[in-house]
Amino acid sequence: AKDAKTGVVMYDPGTLVHQPSRLVLLGDLRRALDRTDELVLHYQPKVALNMDQVCGAEALVRWHHPVRGMVSPAEFIPIAESTGLINRLTVHVLALALRQVRRWLDDGHEIPVAVNLSPRCLLDTSLLDTVRNLLTRYGVPARMLRLEVTETAVMGNPALALATLTGLHELGVRLAIDDYGTGYSSMAYLKRLPVDELKVDRSFVLNMTASDNDAILVRSAIDLGHNLGLTVVAEGVETDQHVEALRHLGCDIAQGYHFARPMPAEDVVEWLRTSGR
Ligand code: C2E
Ligand code: CA
Ligand code: CA
Ligand code: CA
């Protein structure tokens, strides 16, 4: 830990235990990005509630580490975020996702894919060119790409974030606010962002059938989104009860284990066929 005032690095026993493995992971991640197929994307379907039809999928990165086995993104994304590595990782993920969208299009399946952007990515002035170039390289229409950002990411540097988001939106890429409800935002603030979709955080959805407070939050998020002309997505939809409650509240799209877990690309078309969606 670095003392903010003096800049002196101090070792406290709590962090010491974790530091070597963070460093090792960071090195391994660098290597994984350079020359291996250790990083793969899994895709989780998004289902339009009114028609019970699939309307896209979210790409979620998976790391098959040669020694440690599967490493969760919850573990390595924060490590990548603490360094510039997240920008390279994002480019890698974007390329994999767009290549997959192209493959599905070639097989006659139109499946728009959403990719997660870390806060740092919104500060990367080369992101817009990167996205434009990758869309061209894979011959994917911009409307087939969705990008998910959190409110907190936008708050970090609102002016720069807004410029990046506006550029992406003008390209035709759709934008979503991810994990809605976990950060701050006001209607006035959201209104200024060129976003198309509001994703209600799974923690509220998961508890909405047990907790009145969470049910109220989900309801007001849906109403707010609709008042702003946004499509509202509920994530973490695990049960029939969730689906019923969300339909009742007029939620547009649902995503969660109730429909499908994130799965390898090669399983998606088969899942579409067997689920009839
Ligand atoms: P997220 O963007 O909120 O993604 C949704 C997470 O919820 C995923 O976890 C997904 O597997 C999980 N999930 C989906 N349905 C359910 C459900 O019904 N119940 C429960 N309990 N969980 C559900 P995952 O794949 O472990 O990803 C965790 C986080 O890591 C993501 O949260 C996202 O913030 C980050 N992440 C994943 N892939 C990427 C990536 O390519 N780039 C960046 N920057 N972040 C990523
Ligand atoms: Ca997401
Ligand atoms: Ca989320
Ligand atoms: Ca999240």
Side-chain angles (χ1 to χ4, degrees):
K2 204 174 182 181
D3 185 276
K5 265 193 235 130
T6 61
V8 172
V9 178
M10 295 176 297
Y11 296 99
D12 62 80
T15 58
L16 199 59
V17 185
H18 299 286
Q19 240 147 18
S21 89
R22 263 180 78 91
L23 272 184
V24 170
L25 265 192
L26 190 59
D28 288 357
L29 189 55
R30 229 173 232 128
R31 181 188 40 76
L33 279 166
D34 279 340
R35 55 184 159 90
T36 68
D37 292 327
E38 289 171 28
L39 293 172
V40 298
L41 298 184
H42 281 193
Y43 296 86
Q44 186 176 39
K46 292 163 69 181
V47 176
L49 285 172
N50 59 349
M51 300 176 301
D52 201 30
Q53 283 288 306
V54 167
C55 57
E58 179 174 1
L60 294 155
V61 69
R62 299 288 178 261
W63 184 10
H64 296 282
H65 189 284
V67 178
R68 291 164 146 254
M70 186 84 115
V71 184
S72 158
E75 190 175 347
F76 69 88
I77 292 288
I79 296 179
E81 277 174 347
S82 67
T83 73
L85 208 58
I86 190 64
N87 292 323
R88 281 181 57 208
L89 184 132
T90 302
V91 175
H92 189 77
V93 167
L94 280 166
L96 291 175
L98 292 173
R99 186 180 70 180
Q100 187 56 51
V101 171
R102 183 69 252 165
R103 285 180 182 164
W104 279 326
L105 282 174
D106 291 341
D107 294 339
H109 303 287
E110 198 165 306
I111 308 174
V113 164
V115 168
N116 291 283
L117 291 186
S118 288
R120 234 179 221 259
C121 301
L122 290 181
L123 308 179
D124 174 8
T125 48
S126 63
L127 180 72
L128 183 59
D129 277 339
T130 303
V131 169
R132 192 190 288 113
N133 292 338
L134 288 171
L135 288 168
T136 308
R137 184 194 302 170
Y138 292 104
V140 171
R143 65 180 162 76
M144 301 286 291
L145 177 65
R146 312 274 151 98
L147 295 174
E148 303 189 355
V149 298
T150 61
E151 305 156 80
T152 318
V154 179
M155 300 294 278
N157 183 339
L160 191 48
L162 186 63
T164 307
L165 293 177
T166 304
L168 290 165
H169 193 72
E170 281 168 358
L171 264 189
V173 172
R174 307 277 178 89
L175 303 172
I177 293 290
D178 201 2
D179 301 347
Y180 180 75
T182 59
Y184 315 82
S185 44
S186 64
M187 177 143 169
Y189 184 72
L190 279 177
K191 218 170 151 175
R192 291 178 45 214
L193 297 176
V195 294
D196 311 277
E197 196 175 273
L198 201 63
K199 298 190 78 172
V200 184
D201 191 68
R202 68 169 184 271
S203 57
F204 305 108
V205 176
L206 278 171
N207 291 323
M208 69 181 290
T209 45
S211 145
D212 285 345
N213 282 341
D214 287 342
I216 289 165
L217 191 132
V218 173
R219 177 197 292 267
S220 61
I222 293 170
D223 292 345
L224 171 83
H226 286 164
N227 285 330
L228 292 171
L230 307 178
T231 302
V232 180
V233 181
E235 44 179 43
V237 176
E238 292 192 355
T239 66
D240 275 329
Q241 279 172 297
H242 291 147
V243 175
E244 277 321 300
L246 289 164
R247 273 216 177 91
H248 181 72
L249 295 175
C251 185
D252 305 291
I253 295 171
Q255 180 183 342
Y257 298 166
H258 173 74
F259 300 102
R261 296 202 169 230
M263 62 185 102
E266 48 279 20
D267 294 348
V268 170
V269 169
E270 173 66 9
W271 181 85
L272 286 174
R273 207 177 53 75
T274 51
S275 75
R277 294 191 171 100

